Amino acid sequence: MKNKVVVVGGGMVGAAMALKLAKQGAQVTVLERHLIDAQEVLANAQIDIRVSAINRFSESLLDELGAMPLLRDSRIAPYHQLEAYEQPNNTLLFDREEVSQTHLGHLIENKLIQASLWAQFTEHSIEVEQVKSAPVALEQNIDSITLHYEDKAYQADLIIAADGGRSQIRQLAGIGVTGWQYQQACMGILIKLDAPQQYKTWQQFKPSGPIAFLPMQAPYANLIWYQDGAKLASLQSFSNEQLKEQILEHFFELPGDFTVEQKALFPLARQHANQYSQGRLVLVGDAAHTINPLAGQGVNLGFKDVAALAECLEPLEDMGSTQALKAYERKRRGDNLAMMSMMDACYFGFSNEVAPLKLLRNGVLKIADQAGPLKRKVLEHAMGW
């Protein structure tokens, strides 16, 4: 059986991919530049400013991989409601009760998701090797694929590139991308609230860019602020106290008083690989598609890639089967493209002050909130079902 797999990149999606295939019997090696001690990360009280809105599909995958129980014992925050609006009198509100669920998803720190997955590696005999330099060559033949670094080569039946939006493996393979940089940037701001646990995450669309509130485990929350890159760059130089004054001018629905704990700038880009596979190489997660983080769907799309690729590979004697890798792309390309386009429609549709469009979009939100079965379908899609 040809089942030797090398996963390049041990982030959230790469780690999940490694575990999923190891559970299916593959011999898996993970190559990662920055090694972590999973137990140390899980025990660390330091809050990570990078968070993900994990939907119910992703939660089920993390449960299957043994990660979710560790996360439930760590810092985790369920959210019960999702709200989007431009004007307070025209809101689109999704509630757990509309789908008879206890919650819609969880807000979890990225480092905790990664660590909870890494904690399962030993049990499933996954090898982890640190690579300190960039790969220099990728060599393929009918029976195998070899990834070369300056000091070592890794031969496998399948190589999975999970090394992010700037994937070096994708570039080595000569796989191009289409996409663009957005004109705005995004600032994440970790705050400590003087308020009880919050269960609603919301986004408000403004001409200068959207803002969002992501409730983490009390007393923390994450604010997302889209704005002109130069404006955010100047805000980054502010003291925490000065930044708080700016937040109070732009964020109107924060519960209680707060202090600013951390801040970080994140670039905004959309890109889509022209193909998801080449021979015995396949792309997953951000290496295949980078989405506007407006609704926090990036990692959820990556986890859907994991499930789809594993499903296509499960019955095979040869995990590097070109036919299976092409089937995976057919499963995922359309869904990924649809989500990317929907996020762009929201981003561009609400990022201007053209009067007719402003009237139309607020009317759409109001109608959508009263759409009954259609609204339920949209909510189920957001949950990953």
Side-chain angles (χ1 to χ4, degrees), residues 364-379:
V364 167
L365 285 178
K366 187 173 183 178
I367 293 171
D369 192 56
Q370 301 170 359
L374 178 59
K375 181 183 176 185
R376 180 188 173 96
K377 287 293 184 184
V378 172
L379 179 54

Side-chain angles (χ1 to χ4, degrees), residues 7-12 15 30-38 41 50 111 114-115 118 121 128-134 149 162-163 168:
V7 179
V8 184
M12 294 182 288
V30 174
L31 306 183
E32 171 59 45
R33 182 163 293 189
H34 305 289
L35 303 187
I36 67 169
D37 182 323
V41 172
R50 299 169 303 158
K111 71 175 185 180
Q114 181 191 23
W118 277 53
F121 281 2
V128 181
E129 294 197 25
Q130 186 173 26
V131 289
K132 297 184 178 180
S133 61
Y149 289 83
D163 54 339
Q168 295 174 329

Side-chain angles (χ1 to χ4, degrees), residues 187 189 225 235-236 238-248 258 260 262-263:
M187 175 177 278
I189 307 168
W225 190 347
L235 290 177
Q236 194 174 31
F238 283 19
S239 69
N240 288 347
E241 291 73 19
Q242 291 172 320
L243 182 58
K244 178 179 178 178
E245 294 178 5
Q246 294 294 314
I247 292 170
L248 289 171
F258 65 93
V260 174
Q262 298 178 42
K263 55 185 181 291

Side-chain angles (χ1 to χ4, degrees), residues 273-304:
N274 295 338
Q275 59 195 73
Y276 283 13
S277 66
Q278 182 189 90
R280 291 176 174 272
L281 168 70
V282 66
L283 314 178
V284 296
D286 283 356
H289 45 81
T290 303
I291 187 173
N292 189 315
L294 184 60
Q297 289 296 311
V299 73
N300 292 313
L301 293 180
F303 284 149
K304 278 198 165 185

Side-chain angles (χ1 to χ4, degrees), residues 134-163:
V136 296
L138 190 66
E139 178 185 0
Q140 297 209 49
N141 57 45
I142 295 175
D143 296 322
S144 66
I145 180 171
T146 305
L147 179 60
H148 295 270
Y149 289 83
E150 291 180 354
D151 56 347
K152 191 171 181 179
Y154 297 89
Q155 187 180 66
D157 302 309
L158 173 67
I159 288 180
I160 300 174
D163 54 339

